Amino acid sequence: MTDYAAEYSKRLTTAPEAAALIPSGAKVAMGLGVSQPPALLAALAARAEAGDVADVNIYYLLSTKTAGETVLRYELTDRLRPYSLFHGAIERALDKRGREEGRQAVWFIPSGFQQAPDVLVNQVKVDTLVTTVSAMDEDGYFSFGINADYSVAVARSGARLILEVNENFPRLAGDNRVHISEVAAIVENNVPVIEAGKAPGLPQDEIIGGIIADMIADGSCLQMGIGALPDAVCDALKNHKDLGVHTELMTPGLIKLIKDGVINNSRKTIHKGKSVLTFAMGTQADYDFMHNNPDFESYGVEYVNDPAVISQNDNVVSVNATLQIDLFGACCSEFLNGRQFTASGGQLDFVRGASRSRGGKSIIACHSTAAKGTVSRIVARLDGPVTTPRNDVQWVVTEHGAVNLRGLTDGERARALISIAAPDFREGLEADAKALGLI
């Protein structure tokens, strides 16, 4: 019998010694979200600050304060270059300060979430992975647990694996493990996992949540995006029965529905009885509930977000938010005020997966206005790139109602969208539609 404890001891080291394995010129994949490893990132940042390493490119999605306070500090971005596949507040601040000082401080790579493993492994060819994992099991395996996402694919690509083992990091079933024999170095750091509770909502969210909940039949299989609006949908589903979940992100709202028995996955076609995800963000109570819970399974995003996989379940309902939708029906969900704001994420993956599902519904939701009611989110032309093309958009919901664009002419689409715009903007949108030759 292999002595995995001895193998573990040989690889166990300090954070500074592990970070020293990353050479100048490395292409590093950093864990997504709550899997970003605090001790390793602090050690890598310290090396860069001391001038011991430079020309390191760091590739990732969805940074947290763990990265923001270490490797993504503005003063280090000339040595540790951030390559983001999904912008957040940290990247927007880096971008703003860089423009103010006449240099680039963050680089954005347009990519759908399902494409991230291919981008990192086959296009960029990252050579290192730094991430948090669960404690090793008796068979010598670590679990990527609540962060299978692109970490599984990178780990299996032959990249240098530098792992931060945290006993508080949940272990999940599914296909998300890496063996001790494949690991270059291990650092132990048993700190609390970053929590992310429900986002604060607005009255419009509750209205929209109620509209969407009424569109979801018992037995449906759910995907929910991130933010207050999808959380409001979950709140409105408390009286539904036999729901399932196949989602990229496991949220507190979905976990509450699981705890309450509303989601039991009993009517799913694939992974029957299991809640499937590729990453999770929640509270410590959520993580504790998921840890070693056989009802949860995590897989790489190339699998979870594959429309061909999603559509194998019947009655899939995907719910995602957008920032703008034009009168033709196209959505921009990632660009704001002339700059990259977030990214496309998995929105289009699930829009297409739900559309291919028997009885499925793809729902794009947004408030009818922004900037305290002074700007319409339904516009004549988008201000940024198309996240979800008009050919793919099906249901659109605002606090003023829901419309199904599938099968409508371009003129009928324009009229339908104007009908759920904020009343103060409808006359102007009708004039825009006439100018565009739509009505």
Side-chain angles (χ1 to χ4, degrees):
M1 180 179 292
T2 304
D3 185 357
Y4 296 121
E7 292 295 309
Y8 186 99
S9 294
K10 283 193 290 187
R11 291 164 174 81
L12 183 61
T13 185
T14 65
E17 289 172 341
L21 297 176
I22 301 173
S24 294
K27 296 179 178 179
V28 178
M30 176 174 67
L32 178 153
V34 301
S35 69
Q36 287 159 11
L40 284 170
L41 296 184
L44 180 56
R47 288 195 73 218
E49 194 167 22
D52 294 334
V53 70
D55 195 31
V56 173
N57 293 346
I58 301 179
Y59 299 86
Y60 63 94
L61 276 82
L62 205 60
S63 64
T64 65
K65 66 178 182 179
T66 299
E69 294 172 354
T70 56
V71 294
L72 299 186
R73 284 159 43 206
Y74 178 80
E75 58 270 23
L76 298 180
T77 55
D78 59 337
R79 286 152 279 178
L80 304 177
R81 289 189 291 268
Y83 283 81
S84 165
L85 281 73
F86 193 102
H87 272 21
I90 292 168
E91 289 72 30
R92 292 192 289 271
L94 289 174
D95 178 58
K96 181 176 183 293
R97 185 169 172 186
R99 283 185 285 113
E100 289 171 349
E101 298 188 7
R103 73 177 188 90
Q104 192 159 3
V106 61
W107 289 257
F108 177 72
I109 300 177
S111 172
F113 196 11
Q114 187 201 354
Q115 299 169 330
D118 175 66
V119 168
L120 297 179
V121 172
N122 299 318
Q123 311 306 322
V124 171
K125 295 181 172 58
V126 295
D127 52 46
T128 306
L129 173 66
V130 293
T131 193
T132 301
V133 293
S134 71
M136 187 176 73
D137 66 19
E138 61 184 10
D139 296 317
Y141 285 95
F142 304 94
S143 168
F144 292 112
I146 54 173
N147 279 99
D149 43 71
Y150 51 80
S151 292
V152 173
V154 174
R156 295 173 182 174
S157 71
R160 179 189 300 112
L161 304 186
I162 303 177
L163 304 182
E164 187 163 315
V165 176
N166 186 346
E167 292 179 353
N168 299 312
F169 197 77
R171 179 187 292 109
L172 267 63
D175 183 12
N176 58 50
R177 301 190 304 170
V178 64
H179 196 263
I180 181 67
S181 60
E182 301 172 273
V183 178
I186 297 165
V187 173
E188 292 181 342
N189 189 29
N190 298 319
V191 296
V193 180
I194 287 179
E195 296 186 78
K198 290 175 61 175
L202 295 171
Q204 300 98 307
D205 296 313
E206 186 175 348
I207 296 169
I208 294 170
I211 292 171
I212 293 175
D214 287 343
M215 299 168 63
I216 297 174
D218 289 343
S220 296
C221 182
L222 306 178
Q223 176 262 330
M224 294 286 166
I226 192 168
L229 206 156
D231 284 344
V233 178
C234 289
D235 289 342
L237 289 170
K238 60 186 177 183
N239 294 319
H240 279 58
K241 297 178 181 177
D242 297 335
L243 297 178
V245 61
H246 180 111
T247 187
E248 61 182 21
L249 170 62
M250 184 61 64
T251 66
L254 289 170
I255 289 176
K256 186 175 189 307
L257 291 175
I258 294 169
K259 289 180 176 179
D260 292 344
V262 176
I263 292 175
N264 58 26
N265 298 294
S266 62
R267 298 199 208 176
K268 289 178 69 175
T269 308
I270 61 170
H271 301 288
K272 196 178 184 71
K274 307 295 182 180
S275 293
V276 171
L277 62 139
T278 196
F279 79 106
M281 297 182 76
T283 65
Q284 186 59 54
D286 295 330
Y287 303 145
D288 292 342
F289 179 69
M290 298 175 74
H291 178 61
N292 281 334
N293 186 332
D295 294 338
F296 290 89
E297 294 181 346
S298 71
Y299 298 86
V301 70
E302 69 277 15
Y303 176 80
V304 173
N305 280 40
D306 185 347
V309 173
I310 296 165
S311 63
Q312 290 179 52
N313 281 305
D314 294 339
N315 303 308
V316 172
V317 180
S318 71
V319 180
N320 291 284
T322 194
L323 296 173
Q324 266 191 341
I325 181 164
D326 69 19
L327 291 174
F328 296 91
C331 293
C332 174
S333 308
E334 59 188 280
F335 211 76
L336 190 66
N337 297 325
R339 308 298 300 179
Q340 195 70 39
F341 189 74
T342 53
S344 58
Q347 182 172 117
L348 185 56
D349 301 334
F350 277 91
V351 164
R352 288 179 170 167
S355 294
R356 290 167 59 177
S357 164
R358 185 172 63 179
K361 291 178 183 175
S362 161
I363 300 171
I364 299 290
C366 64
H367 298 173
S368 64
T369 63
K372 298 181 179 179
T374 62
V375 176
S376 176
R377 290 194 183 275
I378 297 175
V379 296
R381 294 282 192 182
L382 298 180
D383 293 335
V386 173
T387 305
T388 300
R390 64 177 182 170
N391 294 352
D392 291 287
V393 173
Q394 186 184 13
W395 284 93
V396 179
V397 180
T398 73
E399 70 271 27
H400 299 291
V403 293
N404 183 358
L405 303 186
R406 192 67 56 80
L408 300 186
T409 66
D410 51 7
E412 290 170 336
R413 282 169 168 247
R415 289 189 183 279
L417 289 165
I418 291 169
S419 75
I420 60 170
D424 289 348
F425 292 95
R426 291 176 188 173
E427 184 177 345
L429 288 169
E430 286 185 9
D432 289 336
K434 289 176 182 177
L436 291 168
L438 294 174
I439 60 175

